[in-house]
């Protein structure tokens, strides 16, 4: 593989900075001057500017004030700091909502919002689209040639939906297009005959509402798809003037992890670079290394969204949030470690919310680089300065990535369908947690992983894992079969192959279109209470060589073999002796079916054997203690390995007799290496 281009050729280094809100401080010129001194001291080289600045840019309709932004842009550039300039659509000014109340969102209960908050607008409103396009055009025209401008930050954390009359009509038009203007076809695909909910005219269809229809799962799914499509359409309206005037300036918008409201796979193709906001709850109820692998899972989604292209860590907190249930301070070392974790998984930036704490408002206690004290003599400021110093030494890593041999499917639309389904349990469906549990063994064993959706290309991988693939869209099963037939290994679990893309159950037995490749038939699924126990026992002669028994929890599927071989059986209950783990030869590959929800010990042992059988490449070939991981970035020639200790204890590693270069400290490492609590090393194999 070769390197990707840097985010901006103007500054082909790691970007270090974050959200800057000088519009809040225009009456405090001394503070604005002090900001520049402190930014340089903190090793900042970029700011995200103007994210919520609409009222400062256009205080009255059609009357613009850009002079303050001119001064800030010039001053930043003169001091070696670049700008990711934001469009302000996430928070419309009061005058706009007062004059055009129809731009405000309408909730699912059909109540229109008043002015306030953010992302509180209708994404269909022609007036709002016109006003957004107008302010964006002014920004693009004015700053198209400004040397500080290196990227556009479009809006902020898109989210929320609208149920106004405009959106109702837009939804109906979306449905007409999908169903070929055939309402009988819609009724069939939604199975609206149930409870006599058949529609006879398009005008009868309403978006889901707690005071109306919520029980047609096809309707609920299609509405969520519509929201993604309509948000993307709104986004395309936003970026049109940016593309017109600054075609060579990359465009991004900040995603929110696994935010359920939008399918980011549909959004990603319209971005030049992916960015996301990462706010893990460190030092909480879960051990830090558990939080770490769950965060790594999302980093890997963002790297995978554009096929391995490095992404931007657009927001993270340098200390605490103000909105988590318990806002605990980061322990010494954690800020640098969590920042470098993002880099290890493919980020070419480390950025924060926010530069300076607001004096008032909702986020006045949210963590920032500069506290209310206003100076650099704080622990947090020193932590941020240290990260900036480290990033200066990592130029060889810019643009590098990784080509994993393993992929896990985490699919937004599948998640929507599972959450909407009634049964087999109403709680602890845990699709995301299940995907993360299948990810964790690879994280622990330093095996790189892509996290993809069901419409991605499978052919680049040796191993494809699809936990709880409840929904299977048209063509997906055929591509899985071809993947296995060509020599790939496929792993899936209980609750797979149940419904099509419109949430209609497959006829002929589950797992629907996967029956052939898996060689099994699933007859029933038993939902266990939390107090219930069963066990799975591996056959003594099973081909994976796994020994012993494993506890089940929450879900046990009762399956029959139709060509597959059983590797393990249930120990108790009326389905004692039934297969619990099966494998099927299919073409040149194999397909595994795991019929029960399991604990960490099972997935550890199972995937350890799979990694060995498939000879899957690891980031580094050493054993790691619990809580430590190794991640890889490469240009196809040089390999950079990140050793990360997510525990509060010192950890010893054995690098054996291979020599590595510590590219942060410029030391030669070999043999025993000590990682301090929340410590890390970034190493390159020596010549």
């Amino acid at each position: 593989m070769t390197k990707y281009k840097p985010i901006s050729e103007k500054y082909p280094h790691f970007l270090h900075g974050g959200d800057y809100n000088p519009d809040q401080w225009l009456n405090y010129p001394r503070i604005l001057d002090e900001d520049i001194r402190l930014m340089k001291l903190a090793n900042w080289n970029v700011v995200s500017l103007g994210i919520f600045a609409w009222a400062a840019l256009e205080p009255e309709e059609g009357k613009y004030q850009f002079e303050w932004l001119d001064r800030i842009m010039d001053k930043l550039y003169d001091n070696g700091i670049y700008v990711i300039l934001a469009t302000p659509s996430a928070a419309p000014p009061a005058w706009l909502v007062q004059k055009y109340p129809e731009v405000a969102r309408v909730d699912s209960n059909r109540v229109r919002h008043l002015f306030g908050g953010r992302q509180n607008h209708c994404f269909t409103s022609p007036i709002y689209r016109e006003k957004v396009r107008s302010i964006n055009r002014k920004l693009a025209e004015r700053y198209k040639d400004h040397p500080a401008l290196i990227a556009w930050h479009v809006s902020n954390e898109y989210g929320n939906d609208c149920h106004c009359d405009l959106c109702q009509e837009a939804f109906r038009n979306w449905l007409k297009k999908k169903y070929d203007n055939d309402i009988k076809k819609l009724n069939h695909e939604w199975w609206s005959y149930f409870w006599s909910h058949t529609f006879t005219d398009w005008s009868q269809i309403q978006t889901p509402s707690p005071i109306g229809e919520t029980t047609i799962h096809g309707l609920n799914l299609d509405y969520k798809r519509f929201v993604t499509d309509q948000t993307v359409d709104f986004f395309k309206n936003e970026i049109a003037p940016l593309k017109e005037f600054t075609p060579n300036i990359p465009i991004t918008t900040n995603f929110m992890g696994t935010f359920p409201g939008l399918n980011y796979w549909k959004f990603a193709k319209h971005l030049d670079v992916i960015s996301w906001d990462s706010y893990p709850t460190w030092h909480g109820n879960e051990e830090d290394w558990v939080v770490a692998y769950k965060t790594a899972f999302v980093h890997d989604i963002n790297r995978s969204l554009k096929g391995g292209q490095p992404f931007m860590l657009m927001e993270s907190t340098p200390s605490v949030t103000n909105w988590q249930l318990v806002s605990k301070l980061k322990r010494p070392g954690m800020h640098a470690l969590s920042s470098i974790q993002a880099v290890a998984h493919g980020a070419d930036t480390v950025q924060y919310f926010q530069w300076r704490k607001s004096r008032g408002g909702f986020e006045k206690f949210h963590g920032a680089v500069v506290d209310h004290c206003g100076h650099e003599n704080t622990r947090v400021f020193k932590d941020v300065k240290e990260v900036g110093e480290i990033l200066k030494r990592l130029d060889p890593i810019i643009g590098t990535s990784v080509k994993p041999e393993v992929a896990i499917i985490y699919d937004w639309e599948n998640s929507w369908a599972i959450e909407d389904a009634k049964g087999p349990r109403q709680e602890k469906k845990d699709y995301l947690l299940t995907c993360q549990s299948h990810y964790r063994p690879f994280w622990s064993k330093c095996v790189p992983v892509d996290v993809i959706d069901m419409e991605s290309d499978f052919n680049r991988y040796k191993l494809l894992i699809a936990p709880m693939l409840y929904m299977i869209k048209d063509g997906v099963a055929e591509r899985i079969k071809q993947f296995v037939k060509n020599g790939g290994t496929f792993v899936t679990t209980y609750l797979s192959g149940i419904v099509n893309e419109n949430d209609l159950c497959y006829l002929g037995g589950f797992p629907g279109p996967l029956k052939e490749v898996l060689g099994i038939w699933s007859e029933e699924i038993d939902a266990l209470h939390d107090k219930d126990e069963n066990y799975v026992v591996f056959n003594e002669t099973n081909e994976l060589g796994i020994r012993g028994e494993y506890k089940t929890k929450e879900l046990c599927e009762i399956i029959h073999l139709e060509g597959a071989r059983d590797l393990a059986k249930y120990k108790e209950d009326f389905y004692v002796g039934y297969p619990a783990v099966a494998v099927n030869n299919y073409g040149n590959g194999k397909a595994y079916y795991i019929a029960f929800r399991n604990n960490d010990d099972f997935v550890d042992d199972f995937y350890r054997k799979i990694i060995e059988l498939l000879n899957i490449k690891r980031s580094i070939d050493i054993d790691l203690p619990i809580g430590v991981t190794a991640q890889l970035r490469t240009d196809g020639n040089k390999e950079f390995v990140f050793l990360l200790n997510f525990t509060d204890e010192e950890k010893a590693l054995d690098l054996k007799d291979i020599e590595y270069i510590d590219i942060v400290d410029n030391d030669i490492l070999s043999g025993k290496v000590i990682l301090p609590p929340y410590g890390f090393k970034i190493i390159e194999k020596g010549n």
Side-chain angles (χ1 to χ4, degrees):
M1 62 181 296
T2 57
K3 280 189 176 185
Y4 290 89
K5 292 181 179 179
I7 291 166
S8 174
E9 297 285 1
K10 291 183 181 179
Y11 192 80
H13 312 283
F14 274 93
L15 297 176
H16 183 231
D19 283 23
Y20 182 39
N21 303 297
D23 47 298
Q24 297 180 19
W25 301 94
L26 295 179
N27 295 324
Y28 296 77
R30 290 184 181 178
I31 284 180
L32 295 177
D33 289 338
E34 179 70 349
D35 281 339
I36 298 296
R37 181 187 76 84
L38 290 172
M39 283 181 187
K40 294 170 73 174
L41 194 62
N43 295 306
W44 270 36
N45 52 45
V46 69
V47 299
S48 299
L49 186 62
I51 293 172
F52 299 114
W54 198 335
L57 294 169
E58 191 181 6
E60 299 178 50
E61 185 174 17
K63 294 183 179 179
Y64 300 98
Q65 292 183 352
F66 291 113
E67 293 75 19
W68 67 269
L69 187 54
D70 295 343
R71 292 192 300 271
I72 295 293
M73 294 270 288
D74 292 345
K75 186 178 290 188
L76 288 165
Y77 183 71
D78 290 344
N79 285 274
I81 301 169
Y82 290 87
V83 172
I84 300 170
L85 190 57
T87 66
S89 66
W95 63 259
L96 197 158
V97 181
Q98 181 183 42
K99 185 171 182 180
Y100 306 104
E102 64 268 35
V103 306
R105 270 196 321 123
V106 172
D107 279 337
S108 60
N109 62 3
R110 306 315 193 244
V111 175
R112 189 178 294 278
H113 282 222
L114 302 175
F115 168 75
R118 62 183 191 181
Q119 292 294 352
N120 191 18
H121 56 79
C122 168
F123 44 39
T124 303
S125 166
I127 292 174
Y128 196 68
R129 289 186 175 213
E130 174 193 334
K131 293 303 179 185
V132 167
R133 193 166 176 134
S134 178
I135 186 73
N136 290 2
R137 174 173 287 273
K138 292 290 185 182
L139 287 166
E141 285 180 321
R142 192 173 189 95
Y143 299 107
K144 65 181 187 299
D145 297 319
H146 200 289
L149 178 64
I150 62 170
W152 287 105
H153 182 309
V154 180
S155 193
N156 184 76
E157 295 183 338
Y158 279 108
N160 299 323
D161 52 0
C162 181
H163 299 259
C164 74
D165 289 343
L166 289 168
C167 290
Q168 300 289 348
E169 192 59 31
F171 179 49
R172 293 180 194 115
N173 288 333
W174 185 94
L175 292 171
K176 289 176 184 178
K177 183 177 180 180
K178 177 177 179 180
Y179 294 106
D180 303 320
N181 205 28
D182 184 349
I183 203 163
K184 291 182 179 179
K185 184 176 180 181
L186 175 143
N187 280 313
H188 177 272
E189 293 303 310
W190 285 4
W191 211 252
S192 56
Y193 325 122
F194 182 76
W195 284 355
S196 190
H197 285 178
T198 302
F199 298 100
T200 57
D201 190 84
W202 296 99
S203 62
Q204 297 164 359
I205 299 172
Q206 293 278 332
T207 59
S209 172
I211 61 172
E213 182 59 80
T214 61
T215 60
I216 298 177
H217 294 169
L219 165 61
N220 298 340
L221 272 172
D222 275 344
Y223 178 67
K224 290 178 182 294
R225 292 171 177 138
F226 162 76
V227 169
T228 291
D229 287 352
Q230 198 74 342
T231 304
V232 169
D233 191 63
F234 180 86
F235 169 81
K236 290 164 68 176
N237 175 78
E238 275 220 62
I239 67 173
L242 311 182
K243 287 293 187 182
E244 178 185 351
F245 289 99
T246 58
N248 297 319
I249 300 295
I251 288 174
T252 191
T253 188
N254 47 336
F255 290 162
M256 296 179 285
T258 56
F259 170 65
L262 295 170
N263 182 351
Y264 286 151
W265 283 94
K266 301 297 184 185
F267 216 134
K269 65 184 70 174
H270 302 284
L271 303 181
D272 297 315
V273 60
I274 302 298
S275 67
W276 85 285
D277 301 345
S278 179
Y279 292 102
T281 304
W282 301 113
H283 321 307
N285 293 326
E286 294 182 307
E287 293 184 79
D288 286 323
W289 69 268
V290 174
V291 177
Y293 80 71
K294 292 179 179 180
T295 304
F297 179 89
V298 186
H299 283 316
D300 285 347
I301 290 176
N302 285 276
R303 187 194 64 243
S304 303
L305 280 169
K306 292 189 85 68
Q309 178 183 325
F311 61 91
M312 303 174 73
L313 178 63
M314 184 60 79
E315 289 185 23
S316 59
T317 179
S319 55
V320 297
T321 67
N322 70 329
W323 47 263
Q324 290 172 341
L325 292 178
V326 177
S327 296
K328 192 166 185 175
L329 295 175
K330 285 183 178 177
R331 271 35 197 170
M334 179 52 84
H335 175 64
L337 175 62
S338 58
S339 298
I340 295 302
Q341 180 192 30
V343 174
H345 287 269
D348 274 2
T349 80
V350 173
Q351 295 163 264
Y352 316 111
F353 180 85
Q354 53 188 325
W355 167 248
R356 181 184 288 274
K357 284 185 177 179
S358 301
R359 191 171 185 187
F362 186 78
E363 292 175 318
K364 62 181 176 292
F365 297 128
H366 194 292
V369 180
V370 180
D371 212 323
H372 293 121
C373 63
H375 58 65
E376 67 268 35
N377 301 313
T378 65
R379 181 178 70 95
V380 170
F381 191 96
K382 293 171 184 175
D383 283 351
V384 169
K385 180 179 180 181
E386 177 195 8
V387 170
E389 290 170 348
I390 292 169
L391 293 176
K392 288 179 180 179
R393 303 168 199 169
L394 304 186
D395 273 3
I397 298 176
I398 283 289
T400 59
S401 188
V402 63
K403 283 192 173 180
E405 296 177 323
V406 179
I408 293 177
I409 293 177
Y410 172 78
D411 190 281
W412 260 264
E413 295 192 11
N414 188 52
S415 178
W416 296 339
I418 289 172
E419 287 304 310
D420 206 26
K422 302 305 174 190
R425 285 183 60 126
Q426 300 310 311
E427 60 175 8
K428 294 187 179 180
K429 293 180 180 179
D430 290 345
Y431 173 56
L432 172 60
L433 289 176
T434 301
C435 290
Q436 289 172 330
S437 74
H438 284 254
Y439 171 89
R440 185 189 55 78
F442 299 96
W443 181 89
S444 299
K445 294 171 177 61
C446 48
V447 173
V449 176
D450 276 347
V451 183
I452 62 175
D453 75 342
M454 73 173 79
E455 297 182 58
S456 297
D457 182 10
F458 306 148
N459 293 324
R460 62 187 289 186
Y461 306 106
K462 283 185 177 180
L463 174 62
L464 177 66
I465 304 166
M468 298 176 68
L469 195 62
Y470 172 82
M471 172 196 291
I472 299 185
K473 296 182 180 179
D474 285 349
V476 172
E478 288 71 24
R479 292 191 296 111
I480 290 172
K481 291 176 186 176
Q482 195 62 47
F483 168 78
V484 179
K485 189 176 291 184
N486 291 343
T489 298
F490 177 62
V491 179
T492 190
T493 72
Y494 53 90
L495 272 184
S496 290
I498 308 298
V499 300
N500 70 5
E501 67 175 59
N502 293 317
D503 208 51
L504 291 182
C505 291
Y506 282 109
L507 303 180
F510 302 138
L514 295 179
K515 283 181 66 182
E516 179 185 330
V517 68
L518 292 166
I520 61 112
W521 166 47
S522 171
E523 182 180 4
E524 294 181 279
I525 187 164
D526 191 15
L528 308 185
H529 292 282
D530 290 349
K531 65 180 177 60
D532 295 338
E533 291 185 358
N534 200 340
Y535 293 86
V536 163
V537 182
F538 270 83
N539 306 337
E540 289 192 10
T541 58
N542 75 86
E543 58 198 67
L544 288 179
I546 298 176
R547 299 289 180 265
E549 65 181 31
Y550 299 88
K551 187 176 179 180
T552 71
K553 62 179 182 181
E554 297 166 357
L555 296 169
C556 292
E557 208 164 70
I558 303 168
I559 67 172
H560 304 269
L561 302 178
E562 294 188 344
R565 304 177 300 283
D566 68 318
L567 304 178
K569 297 181 177 70
Y570 289 111
K571 182 180 179 181
E572 298 175 357
D573 219 318
F574 72 91
Y575 40 93
V576 59
Y578 275 79
V581 182
V583 61
N584 188 45
N585 290 355
Y586 190 80
N588 295 319
K590 290 185 177 181
Y592 292 85
Y593 194 81
I594 301 168
F596 67 103
R597 182 166 285 176
N598 36 70
N599 294 310
D600 291 347
D601 57 347
F602 171 81
V603 289
D604 273 348
D605 291 347
F606 178 77
Y607 285 117
R608 175 173 52 82
K609 291 294 186 179
I610 297 293
I611 290 168
E612 292 172 0
L613 281 173
L614 299 182
N615 194 28
I616 290 173
K617 182 180 178 181
R618 304 169 70 202
S619 299
I620 189 170
D621 192 20
I622 62 174
D623 294 326
L624 298 175
I626 292 176
V628 177
T629 186
Q631 299 298 322
L632 175 69
R633 291 184 66 168
T634 180
D635 59 7
N637 182 23
K638 295 181 177 180
E639 292 190 345
F640 304 96
V641 178
F642 296 73
L643 304 171
L644 310 169
N645 176 16
F646 287 97
T647 76
D648 59 2
E649 298 174 345
E650 189 177 89
K651 297 290 185 179
L653 311 181
D654 184 4
L655 299 181
K656 304 177 182 177
D657 57 354
I658 301 174
E659 286 193 346
Y660 294 88
I661 301 168
D662 183 329
I663 67 172
V664 174
D665 297 331
N666 201 29
D667 293 334
I668 302 297
L669 300 179
S670 185
K672 187 177 181 180
V673 171
I674 300 298
L675 293 181
Y678 304 124
F680 63 90
K681 294 285 185 184
I682 307 173
I683 60 176
E684 178 188 358
K685 189 179 289 188
N687 295 325

